[in-house]
Amino acid sequence: MDNQHRRIVGYRELTAAEIDLMNEIKLLGPVIEAVLMKVNKHLSDQATEAVNNNLQNVKDRVDDATPYRFQALAKTEFQTGLMYLTRAVAQPTFF
């Protein structure tokens, strides 16, 4: 359906500049996701190497540092940040 946002309470028409800005924000998502995936692969490779080579110091460091937790938190915060940016531009009037 064309112009669906007009039928949803709290949304408005965006200007061309706002649409361009929203699209620029949306383009950041796949870039950030790719970096997050690279970090996750690095962590996985690191864990595999530590197990395969019996590197106890690496295993201990990873256990202490909880890098998977921080990678997951980063993912959540980036998703939240991008949502905040789109909301700042779209300026919906609902809670």
Side-chain angles (χ1 to χ4, degrees):
M1 172 188 292
D2 192 27
N3 296 316
Q4 292 178 25
H5 63 281
R6 289 183 185 163
R7 301 184 71 186
I8 301 171
V9 175
Y11 285 93
R12 66 184 177 88
E13 286 287 321
L14 299 178
T15 66
E18 289 169 328
I19 291 169
D20 291 343
L21 188 53
M22 291 283 279
N23 285 325
E24 188 175 342
I25 294 165
K26 296 293 185 182
L27 287 173
L28 293 173
V31 174
I32 293 169
E33 182 180 33
V35 173
L36 289 167
M37 290 171 59
K38 286 179 184 178
V39 169
N40 200 51
K41 182 176 181 338
H42 167 73
L43 296 175
S44 179
D45 291 347
Q46 185 180 55
T48 300
E49 181 184 1
V51 169
N52 290 344
N53 296 316
N54 199 26
L55 302 174
Q56 192 60 45
N57 63 328
V58 174
K59 291 180 200 175
D60 291 344
R61 184 187 70 239
V62 169
D63 286 345
D64 290 344
T66 63
Y68 287 105
R69 175 178 174 266
F70 287 105
Q71 191 272 348
L73 287 168
K75 179 179 180 179
T76 299
E77 295 295 332
F78 278 123
Q79 288 171 324
T80 303
L82 292 174
M83 182 213 37
Y84 289 156
L85 286 174
T86 58
R87 193 170 170 102
V89 174
Q91 301 167 8
T93 58
F94 55 87
F95 181 77

